[in-house]
Amino acid sequence: MTESAARASIAIVTYPDVQMSAVLGLGDLFTIANRNSRQSGGGVLSVTEVSGRATDDTDGEPFAAVILPPTLKKSRGRNEKTIHEWLRAQHAGGALMCSVCAGAFWLGHSGLLKGRPVTTHWLLEDEFRTAFPDTQVNAEHLLIDDNDIVTAGGLMAWLDMGLFIVNRWLGPQVVSDTARHLLIDPSGREQRNYRSFRPPLTHGDSVILALQHWLEGHVDNEVTVKAMAGRAHLSDRTFLRRFKAATGLTPNTYVQNLRIEKARGLLERTRIPVSAIGWNVGYQDPSAFSRVFRAATGLTAGEYRNRFGVVARGAVTHGLPS
């Protein structure tokens, strides 16, 4: 919903180790949006960089929105009590609280995310769940709007957050004009379009690790739990327990994730027909492959290839026609 305002005040928090490219990029995005808005007689966004170590300098009326950008380092804000108190005060005063990527940790440690749906970078999902078990983490989404709290995942998701802010206060036409200026898509992306399956390999269970290595080259086989347990020389029950303990996944879920990851690679690097790719990664039913791939990535296999493929159209690979 667009909120009309002659001037909406936006705070970008420059906490310790903040990603300055995001801070400056957001400033530039809002500058371009303001220029486009003024041309049509609209309002503007007034942007302030608020130092995480000097939040007491901003006493007074709360901001319309507060943004916590990403960080490229390990900062999580756990002990930044001054910032936590300031964030809670801003929220209590009516500010829209926003985070990008690891910035969600700062909101979490402020106590503002309890029971809330939230997203962050998919690589940080497990760390975030451990730190804040009372949140509803949905890392497949690039942006989650929960009314007074908005979170975005991914280092570059500050673009999505910036356009969200622009839409909320300046309207969809300014979003369109700004996105066109920056040559970016204004909407429609999801984090699951980009995430990769990175199975844990440092769990210390050599038997399960050997099976994982074997699976890497045999996803096209009809791999059953019984077959995997037999290869690991374990009973079905013991195998299921040890596999879940080592990888965090059931064997069937693990194999499905591995197959989809292999399919992504073939779609990106080759022109093998989609039906053949499904067969190559273990799906004998093309419709089943299509359903599973779309559920995992948010895209059809053809859409994924069009967006991420790096092989020229018309190329022939592995002896198969394009």
Side-chain angles (χ1 to χ4, degrees):
M1 179 183 297
T2 302
E3 297 181 5
S4 59
R7 182 178 295 271
S9 57
I10 310 298
I12 303 176
V13 182
T14 57
Y15 59 80
D17 296 327
V18 72
Q19 182 188 348
M20 285 306 299
S21 62
V23 174
L24 299 174
L26 281 165
D28 289 343
L29 185 152
F30 292 143
T31 295
I32 295 168
N34 284 339
R35 184 186 308 149
N36 291 327
S37 183
R38 288 192 186 98
Q39 290 175 354
S40 58
V44 295
L45 302 175
S46 175
V47 181
T48 302
E49 290 184 19
V50 177
S51 170
R53 293 281 170 79
T55 48
D56 53 349
D57 293 341
T58 61
D59 291 340
E61 291 295 319
F63 288 93
V66 174
I67 304 175
L68 289 144
T71 177
L72 293 174
K73 299 186 179 180
K74 296 293 185 180
S75 297
R76 299 293 184 259
R78 182 181 182 88
N79 299 314
E80 298 288 345
K81 305 302 183 184
T82 300
I83 300 179
H84 300 164
E85 183 178 350
W86 183 81
L87 292 173
R88 289 192 294 269
Q90 287 292 318
H91 182 250
L96 176 71
M97 308 306 291
C98 309
S99 69
V100 180
C101 194
F105 283 87
W106 298 74
L107 284 183
H109 287 305
S110 299
L112 296 177
L113 296 181
K114 291 180 180 179
R116 294 297 195 103
V118 60
T119 189
T120 185
H121 195 293
W122 60 269
L123 281 173
L124 302 177
E125 181 177 3
D126 290 342
E127 180 186 353
F128 196 90
R129 288 185 188 278
T130 299
F132 308 107
D134 52 1
T135 59
Q136 304 166 25
V137 186
N138 300 276
E140 68 274 16
H141 295 294
L142 201 64
L143 187 143
I144 293 178
D145 174 11
D146 195 36
N147 298 317
D148 57 331
I149 294 179
V150 182
T151 55
L155 284 170
M156 295 302 295
W158 59 264
L159 286 162
D160 302 86
M161 182 63 75
L163 292 178
F164 176 89
I165 295 291
V166 170
N167 183 68
R168 185 151 180 166
W169 275 278
L170 304 183
Q173 184 58 55
V174 178
V175 169
S176 179
D177 294 341
T178 303
R180 189 181 303 115
H181 184 108
L182 295 170
L183 300 181
I184 57 176
D185 294 331
S187 63
R189 298 190 297 151
E190 294 184 66
Q191 195 166 183
R192 60 179 172 167
N193 301 162
Y194 304 91
R195 73 185 300 162
S196 298
F197 177 52
R198 297 188 179 184
L201 302 174
T202 58
H203 44 71
D205 190 326
S206 60
V207 172
I208 300 302
L209 180 60
L211 178 66
Q212 289 176 271
H213 288 158
W214 180 82
L215 286 170
E216 287 287 340
H218 295 83
V219 290
D220 56 330
N221 292 14
E222 185 178 352
V223 184
T224 64
V225 169
K226 183 170 288 296
M228 286 187 279
R231 187 168 187 85
H233 303 293
L234 298 171
S235 68
D236 291 2
R237 184 173 181 178
T238 300
F239 168 70
L240 287 169
R241 175 179 56 78
R242 285 179 59 172
F243 193 93
K244 181 69 179 292
T247 68
L249 300 170
T250 65
N252 287 335
T253 299
Y254 183 98
V255 170
Q256 178 175 297
N257 286 339
L258 186 59
R259 284 173 168 167
I260 294 303
E261 187 64 19
K262 297 290 187 182
R264 284 179 189 259
L266 291 172
L267 288 165
E268 293 169 12
R269 299 189 302 271
T270 78
R271 292 303 302 169
I272 297 174
V274 169
S275 58
I277 287 177
W279 184 273
N280 285 355
V281 299
Y283 290 94
Q284 298 179 5
D285 181 355
S287 62
F289 170 66
S290 296
R291 288 195 303 271
V292 173
F293 189 89
R294 184 160 194 168
T297 68
L299 300 169
T300 67
E303 290 169 340
Y304 186 91
R305 170 170 276 163
N306 289 336
R307 182 174 294 190
F308 299 108
V310 295
V311 175
R313 292 182 181 280
V316 177
T317 53
H318 301 298
L320 292 171
S322 60

